[in-house]
Amino acid sequence: MKQGVLPVPLSGPYLGEREEELVLEVMRSGRLSLGPTIDRFEELFAERVGAPYAAAVSSGTAGLHLLCIAAAIGPGDEVITTPYSFAATANCFVYEGGVPVFADVDPRTLNVDPGAVEAAVTPRTRAIVAVDIYGYPCELAALQRIAERHGLALIQDSCEALGAEYRGAPLGSHGPSCVFAFYPNKQITTGEGGIVTTHSEEEWRLLRSLRNQGRGDAGGWLEHVRLGFNYRIDDIRAAIGIGQLERLDEILTLRERVAKRYEELLHGIDGVELPCADDDTHRRSWFVYVVMVPDNATRERVIGVFEREGIGYNRYLPSIHLQPYMRERYGFREGLCPVSEDASARTLALPFHTGLEANAQERVADVLASAL
Ligand SMILES: Cc1ncc(COP(=O)(O)O)c(C=O)c1O
């Protein structure tokens, strides 16, 4: 990095005194785990997204894994998913022996294309894992129809999409079980953490047991009625989550403002494609700000300049099927999902977080324009 420039970090949490106060309360209460703060967080979260039940867990990945177990995905079952996502979207069923089948994405939204999903269904298909990538809702109605027609489970990976709306209602309210994640770059954070929302009381009870070492509702501490995990969140993290949830509206508004400012600053710069706009059906919750440049060589040139100028970036997102372990295990190669692969070569995440200041964004825009 050049001397004297002010670095602009890629991401950062947005925490305040309220979270500190709630954490202190928990610390002083002596109930650090399996306590009432977790129940409260779950109730508030479920209410907020319009789902009847929520089960908090130790990470988004843990939540996805538990939903795959609830869907009874087992060795040899095919699971159709998107290649353009974070690796955990596919890992969650690979843990159970599920076989990934990647359906290509829509070039505008970068979400899985329902036509490609339909074409990928075979007699061995067990489930679909759909992602709301970068907080933009997936084609839920079409995917629900496919799942119903073929008797498949539909798992929604909404890890990046808390606050997004599909057909005027928040993700989580539509029926499929959803997972949201709380790593510090997400809309709200608990440090590490995640939550599963469900419309089934039976599934909710199962999730609570699975995350807690397979303990039953009525049994004791040392009785395990099924093979379980320690995927629990603790009360300290739940307290941070409550503080964050209390100002989710403020957070979403500020993030939208940051995205709008980028749109104004970047539109018209030759060679920059902006994230797709909302429409009547889809309302994005801003997670990251990812632009597309003309090709990989241009992206690498921009990255070189960003590094010199202290500007945070990431190559969001590589296609999952081309990850080294996926190639090795399943033999996936280039050309399987050309739209995803093209996006993976050209997408670039710019600094983006709730508290990002206008002058920092102006610097990012100036440096990007000059690099292009
Ligand atoms: C789409 C998607 N799925 C799953 C995850 C996994 O969440 P976690 O990091 O909380 O395990 C993430 C987090 O980055 C994500 O973006």
Side-chain angles (χ1 to χ4, degrees):
M1 194 171 89
K2 268 187 346 200
Q3 289 223 312
V5 295
L6 209 60
V8 185
L10 178 64
S11 182
Y14 189 73
L15 296 160
E17 284 175 13
R18 178 64 178 149
E19 286 82 357
E20 289 176 14
E21 184 184 300
L22 289 164
V23 166
L24 265 183
E25 256 175 45
V26 170
M27 288 175 71
R28 288 173 179 159
S29 76
R31 293 291 301 276
L32 301 193
S33 192
L34 291 166
T37 310
I38 297 171
D39 299 337
R40 182 84 191 120
F41 179 46
E42 291 173 339
E43 282 159 22
L44 288 171
F45 194 94
E47 196 182 320
R48 172 67 206 216
V49 303
Y53 306 99
V57 286
S58 52
S59 68
T61 307
L64 288 167
H65 185 194
L66 294 189
L67 280 183
C68 291
I69 295 171
I73 294 168
D77 288 338
E78 292 179 0
V79 180
I80 303 172
T81 193
T82 170
Y84 194 80
S85 185
F86 184 66
T89 300
N91 292 351
C92 60
F93 55 83
V94 172
Y95 298 146
E96 295 302 308
V99 177
V101 176
F102 291 101
D104 211 348
V105 297
D106 177 297
R108 194 181 76 85
T109 65
L110 303 180
N111 276 322
V112 77
D113 171 359
V117 172
E118 176 77 60
V121 175
T122 76
R124 289 179 302 283
T125 309
R126 177 65 146 201
I128 301 167
V129 179
V131 179
D132 308 297
I133 200 70
Y134 303 149
Y136 197 85
C138 65
E139 299 309 322
L140 204 46
L143 294 170
Q144 275 179 299
R145 277 197 302 275
I146 295 169
E148 273 162 31
R149 195 159 54 244
H150 298 283
L152 311 175
L154 176 58
I155 293 170
Q156 202 176 346
D157 177 346
S158 302
C159 285
E160 303 183 350
L162 173 59
E165 291 179 3
Y166 179 77
R167 295 195 169 162
L171 297 186
S173 69
H174 299 89
S177 299
C178 285
V179 181
F180 299 87
F182 307 132
Y183 185 74
N185 66 344
K186 299 295 193 295
Q187 286 87 344
I188 71 168
T189 187
T190 58
E192 296 284 355
I195 203 163
V196 186
T197 60
T198 173
H199 289 235
S200 153
E201 183 180 347
E202 194 188 339
E203 184 172 83
W204 178 65
R205 290 189 184 284
L206 175 64
L207 294 167
R208 287 167 66 92
S209 168
L210 285 168
R211 77 175 174 190
N212 188 22
Q213 306 281 19
R215 295 183 172 104
D217 274 344
W221 186 247
L222 294 179
E223 186 183 66
H224 306 274
V225 297
R226 54 178 60 82
L227 178 64
F229 303 83
N230 182 352
Y231 279 172
R232 297 186 303 263
I233 199 165
D234 57 67
D235 288 67
I236 296 172
R237 286 190 274 168
I240 302 173
I242 291 172
Q244 294 265 280
L245 257 191
E246 282 177 0
R247 47 206 189 117
L248 179 59
D249 286 333
E250 175 201 340
I251 289 173
L252 295 177
T253 305
L254 287 172
R255 293 175 86 89
E256 197 164 0
R257 190 181 301 165
V258 174
K260 278 251 147 53
R261 274 203 301 259
Y262 264 141
E263 196 182 311
E264 286 161 16
L265 289 165
L266 301 179
H267 106 139
I269 299 185
D270 245 8
V272 180
E273 249 178 85
L274 302 184
C276 74
D278 290 352
D279 59 24
D280 292 346
T281 312
H282 310 77
R283 187 183 161 131
R284 188 195 298 269
S285 164
W286 286 94
F287 163 54
V288 282
Y289 201 90
V290 173
V291 297
M292 256 201 230
V293 294
D295 50 47
N296 189 247
T298 308
R299 181 171 72 175
E300 293 310 306
R301 197 174 73 236
V302 170
I303 285 173
V305 180
F306 274 21
E307 284 188 345
R308 271 204 310 283
E309 296 288 335
I311 290 175
Y313 68 89
N314 214 335
R315 296 174 183 86
Y316 287 169
L317 271 161
S319 293
I320 301 175
H321 62 288
L322 298 181
Q323 292 289 350
Y325 77 99
M326 282 278 169
R327 288 174 183 264
E328 198 175 305
R329 180 159 176 182
Y330 301 101
F332 296 131
R333 292 289 177 265
E334 282 81 2
L336 182 70
C337 296
V339 181
S340 174
E341 290 163 29
D342 175 60
S344 293
R346 303 196 286 124
T347 39
L348 178 68
L350 306 182
F352 186 86
H353 53 94
T354 309
L356 189 59
E357 307 262 354
N359 56 0
Q361 291 188 264
E362 283 157 19
R363 204 162 92 70
V364 173
D366 286 347
V367 173
L368 179 59
S370 71
L372 286 166

